[in-house]
Amino acid sequence: MAVSSAFVVTPKLEKLLANPTSSSPAPLGVIGIRALPMNTNRNKRGLIQRARCEISPSKAASTSALEQLKTSAIDRYTKERSSIIVIGLSIHTAPVEMREKLAIPEAEWPRAIAELCGLNHIEEAAVLSTCNRMEIYVLALSQHRGVKEVTEWMSKTSGIPVSEICQHRFLLYNKDVTQHIFEVSAGLDSLVIGENQILAQVKQVVKVGQGVNGFGRNISGLFKHAITVGKRVRTETNIAAGAVSVSSAAVELALMKLPESSHASSARMLVIGAGKMGKLVIKHLVAKGCTKMVVVNRSEEKVAAIREEMPSGVEIIYKPLDEMLSCAAEADVVFTSTASETPLFLKEQVATLPPVRDTRLFVDISVPRNVGSCVAEIDGARVFNVDDLKEVVAANQEDRVRKAMEAQAIITDESKHFEAWRDSLETVPTIKKLRGYTERIIAAEIEKFLPKTGIEMNKKLRKAVDDLIRGIVNKLLHGPMQHLRCDGSDSRTLSETLENMQALNRMYGLDAEILEEKIRAKVGKK
């Protein structure tokens, strides 16, 4: 039985063809097989060997993968649209020890996006890295391969084995991703429901991603819509009322753990770090009645700026970083919120501090942690980190659950709008390719027509002929183009539009051109 082979130009194959000097053999998964005899493994193995021979380095050097594409069977990537995927670990699924290794500083997000989009099956990417979560959002050509590549990248950058990441990660696809990021932005997935800080962090993803290659239309559209959802939920449900941030929860936790003989106005408070989180801790301490505290920071400028924002009667004392231990020796509660990648307090350091009247509390809201877990082994010291804030969340749970239910109705509504918008994008490549197809025909026909006239046309006459042809073509295309456009709000119309798109792709052979554009985009990133 004759067996025909047709090459599928996957991004991996394109990479191999673009580097013909590579001595590594092509992996079995690189080549797609078409028209195989029924369940004949021997013939399949033979065909794979033939295919490998046919893409030998000498031929690969002279044969463009894009040319092979035009004569190959339609690749699987044109049959299904790319998937939006989130590969994540959060406070709900992974311990802080793992999250701190995976954390990516904001300054490195553009680099991470570039590296992710350099993977074979990843088209777009974004990073959401906070103290409570590390989530990678991607637009992937293949779900399985995309997840595999991103997980291996996370393992490589963090030093955590793939198997361990897989035990704690969560995976969501397409509509579930939309639901998830909307819940995250609304504060429904946070330890403290409705907290405002996560919305600011989602906004920062968009701000940092602007102008970064790889933060493309689908992923950026998802995050921008998530910001809209977060704002709408907070406005319509008032879910952000009360103590709804990690910083405020940290203050509440500290006050809950203080002995009855102490309270906010009398306990000696030390805040290490005057960044965003430290500033919020100070504000919440003041709101709870604390009128005096010591703030340790690298420079005094930030502390002075915070001091100016505080009401009269509040005393904020600045101390440099090299006096941190002496300040801790005089504190009942120590809040830490710095970006240090190594612990500021270890067992041997805390053991030298003089005892306090009751118990010295360390409330560490940093990731990576500023206080080593070994400090908890010391008598007279208690250590709390972001994972311990669940105690505070339990307070007033009934009201927050009610508001969360109201928020879910908003999220469901907004999810439908986003999915409709994303569905409507499916027709854009077809519209562009159909336009390009007709432009090529017009140009070719004009060039064929001119010599036949025997008349040397001036620019004015040539333009008139060109306009005439274009006018006819545009009128002929008006109907098909109208059936490729919709506002995404009518599911019936959208479904019909996608059917029309698939029909036009088949009739005019536009699928291959759309795939070629995808491969060009991937090769351009290498």
Side-chain angles (χ1 to χ4, degrees):
M1 177 179 179
V3 179
S4 62
S5 65
F7 301 134
V8 173
V9 185
T10 66
K12 178 70 74 176
L13 178 56
E14 175 64 24
K15 188 175 182 180
L16 290 172
L17 292 171
N19 184 23
T21 60
S22 174
S23 59
S24 60
L28 294 181
V30 163
I31 300 186
I33 306 300
R34 298 290 184 270
L36 285 174
M38 188 179 304
N39 298 323
T40 55
N41 292 330
R42 184 172 61 182
N43 285 335
K44 181 175 181 179
R45 287 195 297 270
L47 181 54
I48 290 174
Q49 293 299 324
R50 284 172 49 202
R52 282 180 172 168
C53 293
E54 291 176 21
I55 60 168
S56 62
S58 60
K59 290 191 176 183
S62 60
T63 304
S64 165
L66 298 177
E67 291 175 359
Q68 291 185 37
L69 169 67
K70 294 175 183 177
T71 58
S72 71
I74 298 302
D75 188 271
R76 68 180 177 279
Y77 298 142
T78 63
K79 295 178 181 177
E80 296 181 5
R81 72 176 181 183
S82 298
S83 298
I84 293 181
I85 307 172
V86 59
I87 302 97
L89 297 94
S90 74
I91 194 170
H92 306 299
T93 68
V96 66
E97 292 86 357
M98 179 177 289
R99 301 199 310 275
E100 63 189 5
K101 291 180 182 178
L102 287 160
I104 300 176
E106 182 182 309
E108 296 183 24
W109 290 355
R111 174 194 59 79
I113 291 173
E115 290 183 5
L116 287 164
C117 290
L119 301 175
N120 285 333
H121 293 83
I122 305 302
E123 296 179 279
E124 300 176 14
V127 176
L128 178 59
S129 181
T130 74
C131 60
N132 287 336
R133 67 187 69 251
M134 165 55 180
E135 298 176 355
I136 304 291
Y137 292 78
V138 296
L139 183 72
L141 292 164
S142 163
Q143 288 188 359
H144 172 72
R145 289 174 176 154
V147 169
K148 182 176 183 292
E149 290 172 0
V150 172
T151 304
E152 289 173 349
W153 178 86
M154 293 171 75
S155 174
K156 180 181 177 182
T157 58
S158 66
I160 301 174
V162 168
S163 58
E164 191 173 343
I165 292 176
C166 290
Q167 288 177 5
H168 295 276
R169 76 183 180 189
F170 63 88
L171 302 173
L172 297 171
Y173 304 91
N174 297 316
K175 292 181 180 180
D176 290 333
V177 176
T178 304
Q179 177 80 11
H180 174 71
I181 186 59
F182 287 2
E183 290 178 352
V184 168
S185 184
L188 303 191
D189 196 56
S190 300
L191 267 182
V192 185
I193 295 177
E195 55 105 351
N196 284 316
Q197 190 174 359
I198 186 60
L199 178 57
Q201 290 162 335
V202 172
K203 289 180 180 178
Q204 199 63 19
V205 172
V206 175
K207 182 179 179 180
V208 173
Q210 295 300 325
V212 176
N213 287 334
F215 189 66
R217 178 170 53 189
N218 287 268
I219 296 297
S220 65
L222 175 66
F223 273 82
K224 289 175 182 176
H225 207 119
I227 293 170
T228 300
V229 173
K231 290 178 178 178
R232 184 181 167 194
V233 166
R234 285 166 175 81
T235 300
E236 296 183 20
T237 68
N238 200 30
I239 198 171
V244 287
S245 72
V246 171
S247 301
S248 62
V251 171
E252 288 193 13
L253 176 64
L255 297 179
M256 285 170 57
K257 298 302 180 181
L258 280 173
E260 293 182 3
S261 58
S262 301
H263 49 81
S265 60
S266 62
R268 296 172 297 175
M269 302 291 185
L270 170 62
V271 179
I272 300 175
K276 292 179 181 178
M277 296 288 282
K279 180 179 179 180
L280 288 171
V281 167
I282 294 169
K283 286 186 173 182
H284 290 300
L285 283 172
V286 172
K288 293 294 184 180
C290 181
T291 57
K292 182 179 180 179
M293 69 196 75
V294 176
V295 179
V296 171
N297 197 54
R298 291 185 183 277
S299 62
E300 189 174 1
E301 287 78 10
K302 286 187 176 180
V303 179
I306 294 172
R307 187 186 293 123
E308 291 179 2
E309 295 181 27
M310 295 299 110
S312 59
V314 175
E315 184 180 1
I316 297 179
I317 303 168
Y318 164 74
K319 293 292 182 180
L321 196 59
D322 56 8
E323 295 184 27
M324 179 183 69
L325 282 177
S326 60
C327 292
E330 301 177 0
D332 297 312
V333 183
V334 179
F335 294 93
T336 59
S337 61
T338 78
S340 175
E341 295 184 2
T342 56
L344 301 179
F345 292 96
L346 295 173
K347 182 178 180 180
E348 54 268 26
Q349 296 169 316
V350 177
T352 64
L353 300 180
V356 293
R357 182 174 51 186
D358 294 295
T359 301
R360 180 177 283 112
L361 305 179
F362 289 87
V363 184
D364 183 7
I365 56 175
S366 303
V367 175
R369 289 172 292 176
N370 290 166
V371 181
S373 57
C374 54
V375 173
E377 300 171 7
I378 300 174
D379 291 336
R382 296 188 67 183
V383 179
F384 303 95
N385 58 42
V386 290
D387 286 0
D388 297 309
L389 298 181
K390 294 177 182 178
E391 291 185 42
V392 181
V393 177
N396 204 19
Q397 187 68 22
E398 183 178 346
D399 183 54
R400 289 174 183 172
V401 169
R402 179 182 59 79
K403 291 178 178 178
M405 291 175 64
E406 295 175 14
Q408 282 292 356
I410 295 173
I411 289 172
T412 299
D413 179 53
E414 292 289 351
S415 294
K416 291 178 181 178
H417 286 301
F418 175 77
E419 290 301 325
W421 171 79
R422 187 169 175 241
D423 285 341
S424 69
L425 294 181
E426 287 293 290
T427 64
V428 173
T430 298
I431 292 173
K432 289 182 177 179
K433 292 302 176 184
L434 187 55
R435 275 290 178 193
Y437 177 77
T438 59
E439 288 293 330
R440 291 194 296 273
I441 290 177
I442 290 172
E445 291 303 314
I446 289 178
E447 290 304 315
K448 286 167 58 177
F449 167 74
L450 292 179
K452 293 179 181 179
T453 62
I455 302 173
E456 187 173 346
M457 291 190 179
N458 55 33
K459 289 184 179 180
K460 184 176 180 180
L461 183 56
R462 181 175 180 127
K463 184 178 183 304
V465 173
D466 186 77
D467 289 345
L468 173 65
I469 296 175
R470 288 179 188 279
I472 295 171
V473 170
N474 286 338
K475 287 183 178 179
L476 291 173
L477 284 179
H478 178 73
M481 287 295 186
Q482 285 296 107
H483 284 80
L484 286 179
R485 291 190 173 97
C486 69
D487 60 9
S489 61
D490 188 323
S491 59
R492 180 185 60 81
T493 302
L494 179 59
S495 176
E496 292 177 356
T497 299
L498 295 178
E499 289 179 7
N500 294 334
M501 176 195 74
Q502 292 164 3
L504 285 170
N505 283 340
R506 289 193 300 270
M507 285 188 286
Y508 292 101
L510 302 178
D511 274 332
E513 292 189 32
I514 294 170
L515 176 58
E516 177 179 328
E517 190 174 84
K518 283 189 176 184
I519 292 182
R520 284 190 187 279
K522 289 301 299 177
V523 174
K525 295 175 183 176
K526 300 297 182 185

